[in-house]
Amino acid sequence: RYAEATASLRGARAAGIEDAATPFFLGASLLMLDDASGASGEFARVIGLGETPYLAEAHYYRAKALLRLNQLSGAVAELDRSIQSGEDPIKSAARSLRDSLRVLRER
């Protein structure tokens, strides 16, 4: 029900609710709806808010959105940031994906 979540989160934003959770979950919903560009923008908004509980995951999921947009270098950079700011399990997942991407980039 990601389309419904997207509509609700956009409604929350229009009503002035703009904490870190709103763009984070909107970005996640857009990513699940295959709107990588929109998702990337929402995760960038979360990142722009600075230290929030969503920061490391926003970097990680923005990397996934950038991969869908064929922006490999940007994705690797976001994964590096996720590793620097995150804790396990997101840190381990980001490291594993980043290492896999580096292997692909070297081929």
Side-chain angles (χ1 to χ4, degrees):
R1 299 176 37 170
Y2 296 109
E4 291 175 31
T6 299
S8 295
L9 290 162
R10 286 182 171 148
R13 177 178 283 157
I17 301 170
E18 187 64 27
D19 60 355
T22 304
F24 180 81
F25 288 107
L26 181 54
S29 296
L30 291 171
L31 194 58
M32 295 304 291
L33 291 170
D34 206 28
D35 179 357
S37 181
S40 176
E42 293 301 327
F43 292 125
R45 183 176 279 186
V46 175
I47 293 163
L49 294 173
E51 275 305 313
T52 69
Y54 303 99
L55 181 61
E57 288 179 284
H59 284 297
Y60 178 75
Y61 289 112
R62 184 160 193 260
K64 288 188 167 215
L66 292 173
L67 284 174
R68 289 187 185 182
L69 297 168
N70 294 316
Q71 297 179 21
L72 182 60
S73 294
V76 170
E78 288 296 344
L79 291 168
D80 285 339
R81 292 181 191 107
S82 180
I83 292 164
Q84 291 169 359
S85 61
E87 296 179 12
D88 281 325
I90 198 71
K91 187 176 195 169
S92 294
R95 183 176 288 120
S96 178
L97 181 55
R98 182 205 57 195
D99 293 347
S100 295
L101 294 174
R102 285 189 172 155
V103 167
L104 286 174
R105 203 165 51 176
E106 292 171 2
R107 289 184 180 177

